[in-house]
Amino acid sequence: RDRRANTAGGTYFFTVAVAERTSGLLVGRVDWLREMVATIRRRRPFEIIAAVVLPIIFMNRPGMPRV
């Protein structure tokens, strides 16, 4: 179920951290992460205001469409 708020033009911030802090998983699979974000954007359109990928943290600030 889609749990985002239904606020047209709203902005949000979220952080995803990996459980294994020494893995470097996110930077090692940044192409996969980019594909997943693109897939989600096709299904549920949003603007990427800012995004940061670090070895163990992915931070994103998406903006919702003004519909």
Side-chain angles (χ1 to χ4, degrees), residues 6 15 17 29 43 47 50 56 59:
N6 292 323
T15 301
R29 308 244 354 239
R43 294 179 187 167
E47 173 187 12
I56 59 170
M59 294 176 278

Side-chain angles (χ1 to χ4, degrees):
R1 177 185 141 133
D2 188 355
R3 296 187 51 145
R4 69 181 174 184
N6 292 323
T7 304
T11 60
Y12 304 89
F13 181 84
F14 69 87
T15 301
V16 177
V18 297
E20 180 56 51
R21 299 289 181 174
T22 60
S23 73
L25 175 67
L26 294 175
V27 293
R29 308 244 354 239
V30 72
D31 291 335
W32 175 83
L33 182 60
R34 187 178 291 126
E35 285 180 39
M36 293 304 103
V37 170
T39 298
I40 294 166
R41 287 182 73 192
R42 282 191 295 275
R43 294 179 187 167
R44 302 283 187 186
F46 63 91
E47 173 187 12
I48 297 176
I49 296 170
V52 176
V53 180
L54 300 172
I56 59 170
I57 296 173
F58 170 58
M59 294 176 278
N60 190 359
R61 178 159 185 165
M64 298 303 118
R66 297 184 186 277
V67 178

